[in-house]
Amino acid sequence: MITRKSSREIEMMDEAGTLLANCHKEIAKRIKPGVTTKEIDDFVEDYLAKHGATPEQKGYNGYEFATCASINDEICHGFPRDEKLVEGDIVTIDMVVNLNGGLADSAWTYVVGEADEKTQRLLDVTKTSLYKGIEQAKEGSRIGDIGHAIQKYAEAEGYAVVRDFTGHGIGPTIHEEPHIPHFGLPNKGLRLKEGMVITIEPMINEGTWKSQMDSNNWTARTVDGSRSAQYEHTIVITKEGPRILTDQD
Ligand code: MF3
Ligand code: CO
């Protein structure tokens, strides 16, 4: 079932989104060589508790952590762990914040230390592809318009779009209908309506789009060992256009 949120629900999700955005800004200051993703995960749990919020991912379908931390060729759902990040790694931190029942979901890819040119381009194209998708997220557009805008841009830049994981409706649980693929055909699929809240979260690979599942049954990684980046926002469909709830600016 696809729900449309009341203005009160949207305000609650907006508050969760602001907290999540602030948490990402704190993470950005802490990502450096020698830090572990377990330390980042502990920081997030503490930060949310201090602000009266909880990590919605923890316990979700048995997932054990506050964040997903996906390093280099890991596409998504990487487990936070004790391995130290090293100069040049890329790491995607993804989390869902629950503040008084309002949810927001946002992922961000960070570079550890200095980004070289190849890394910077991967991150820039991935982030721009998210915003190309967001531009389409308005009343009257169709779901295919979002995926098409992302795929057209990312592939023209020489990258591949992951097919096995999609954006989604969100609230009151993490994953609600509809699915929002990051590839597709314009003018196809469900029409977006005011009050729908969705995530857009393209995972963009340097090599093939194909993914494989780790033996932990959670973590997806590229089949060719190439790196994968991801940016994600939670967005409300309004008559005036997309409203980003997890904006960091
Ligand atoms: N934030 C993730 C997403 O965008 C949710 C991961 S579910 C978890 O869909 F259980 F792995 F945390
Ligand atoms: Co999501």
Side-chain angles (χ1 to χ4, degrees):
M1 191 183 61
I2 297 173
T3 59
R4 294 161 73 181
K5 273 69 180 176
S6 68
S7 53
R8 185 179 145 66
E9 283 172 302
I10 290 169
E11 285 332 300
M12 285 167 62
M13 295 180 86
D14 188 36
E15 281 171 28
T18 302
L19 181 61
L20 203 174
N22 289 335
C23 185
H24 266 307
K25 289 194 226 172
E26 292 301 319
I27 292 169
K29 296 181 200 160
R30 288 168 171 79
I31 300 277
K32 42 174 84 97
V35 168
T36 72
T37 48
K38 186 73 184 70
E39 288 163 351
I40 298 293
D41 194 73
D42 289 342
F43 165 76
V44 166
E45 209 165 338
D46 247 42
Y47 182 90
L48 297 185
K50 279 197 187 101
H51 292 85
T54 53
E56 187 72 4
Q57 293 185 161
K58 197 168 181 171
Y60 179 76
N61 291 339
Y63 190 75
E64 291 179 15
F65 309 95
T67 63
C68 297
S70 306
I71 303 171
N72 296 331
D73 64 326
E74 293 172 346
I75 295 170
C76 62
H77 308 158
F79 287 0
R81 52 190 185 260
D82 288 325
E83 173 192 329
K84 288 181 164 58
L85 293 168
V86 300
E87 176 83 24
D89 279 345
I90 60 171
V91 55
T92 302
I93 307 291
D94 187 3
M95 68 187 123
V96 180
V97 168
N98 182 333
L99 181 62
N100 304 318
L103 298 192
D105 187 358
S106 177
W108 216 252
T109 300
Y110 299 94
V111 186
V112 180
E114 293 294 315
D116 62 20
E117 221 172 285
K118 188 168 175 237
T119 305
Q120 196 57 53
R121 203 172 82 82
L122 172 65
L123 300 196
D124 289 347
V125 168
T126 305
K127 195 187 285 180
T128 302
S129 80
L130 166 61
Y131 285 96
K132 299 255 179 205
I134 291 174
E135 267 173 39
Q136 302 298 321
K138 51 185 192 287
E139 160 116 356
S141 290
R142 299 173 74 156
I143 285 180
D145 296 326
I146 296 175
H148 180 70
I150 292 168
Q151 182 181 21
K152 191 171 145 209
Y153 169 71
E155 289 183 355
E157 294 292 332
Y159 295 105
V161 178
V162 171
R163 313 271 171 106
D164 299 335
F165 300 90
T166 67
H168 48 90
I170 179 168
T173 68
I174 298 184
H175 290 136
E176 305 246 328
E177 288 178 56
H179 288 285
I180 312 286
H182 305 109
F183 60 95
L185 298 171
N187 221 9
K188 294 277 183 211
L190 185 94
R191 228 173 256 293
L192 297 169
K193 293 210 179 80
E194 185 179 28
M196 288 171 56
V197 184
I198 60 169
T199 73
I200 302 180
E201 47 181 302
M203 287 142 269
I204 303 295
N205 297 351
E206 283 181 316
T208 167
W209 59 264
K210 291 197 173 127
S211 68
Q212 60 188 339
M213 188 57 80
D214 278 7
S215 57
N216 67 16
N217 268 324
W218 275 103
T219 309
R221 67 178 70 235
T222 61
V223 295
D224 58 4
S226 70
R227 297 180 301 174
S228 185
Q230 181 185 26
Y231 293 90
E232 170 183 25
H233 276 311
T234 298
I235 293 126
V236 189
I237 309 301
T238 79
K239 286 222 158 57
E240 291 74 43
R243 174 176 165 202
I244 303 174
L245 299 182
T246 43
D247 206 354
Q248 296 177 31
D249 302 328

